[in-house]
Amino acid sequence: MVIDDIFGPALRQVAPLLVFFALALGALAVFKARLGGAGSGAVGFPYARRAGLFSEAEARFLRVLREAAPDLDVFGKVRLEDVVAVKKGLPKSEWLAARNRIKSRHLDFVLVEPDSTRVVCVVELDDASHASERARRSDAVKDGALAAAGVPLLRVPARGSYDASELRRRVEAAVIPAEAAAD
């Protein structure tokens, strides 16, 4: 009781100031954590240039794909979300779930008309890594999203070499049925 009589009035006067400092310290900790974590110093940029955009196998296939589709522009490593969009009008939670399934996925190659940039066909180069369960699930999402949007998809097994005329026939075979269905 004596301590309360002595220190009570002083603590009541300083309490708002102590609360302010506690909140400020908490906000500072959150701010620092968002900038790189406690004790990490400057945020920095721990990045290095990659040797190339494509692996050696992808670059080899790209050269043949350009030869097989000379009238089309070929883009590589395109986000799936840049080719297909989630339909409007869905409840927000469904829209977000659908977007989350596609937003971090990439397509190997996208063939587009040069003038309009209309997507003509997507080409996926399937190497041995596509045999894993995780890759099969990812491929199923890509396949389903592209099919739902009416975008032709051509899956090509990775090989040591490719025949441009055979690849041209396969691209045409993938594109023609899709264009006939759109008419």
Side-chain angles (χ1 to χ4, degrees), residues 11-47:
L11 284 176
R12 281 189 285 283
Q13 288 178 347
V14 215
L17 189 58
L18 291 174
V19 169
F20 171 78
F21 280 124
L23 290 173
L25 187 60
L28 183 62
V30 168
F31 182 72
K32 188 171 183 176
R34 287 192 178 190
L35 284 181
S40 68
V43 174
F45 296 96
Y47 308 109

Side-chain angles (χ1 to χ4, degrees), residues 73-115:
D73 286 339
V74 181
F75 295 95
K77 299 193 185 234
V78 176
R79 292 183 321 150
L80 178 57
E81 191 175 24
D82 291 330
V83 175
V84 302
V86 179
K87 291 180 179 178
K88 297 179 192 293
L90 294 173
K92 186 168 184 157
S93 63
E94 288 180 36
W95 188 91
L96 284 172
R99 181 174 182 261
N100 286 340
R101 282 194 303 271
I102 66 170
K103 74 177 184 179
S104 296
R105 299 180 194 277
H106 288 80
L107 304 167
D108 293 335
F109 302 98
V110 177
L111 304 174
V112 304
E113 292 176 341
D115 295 332

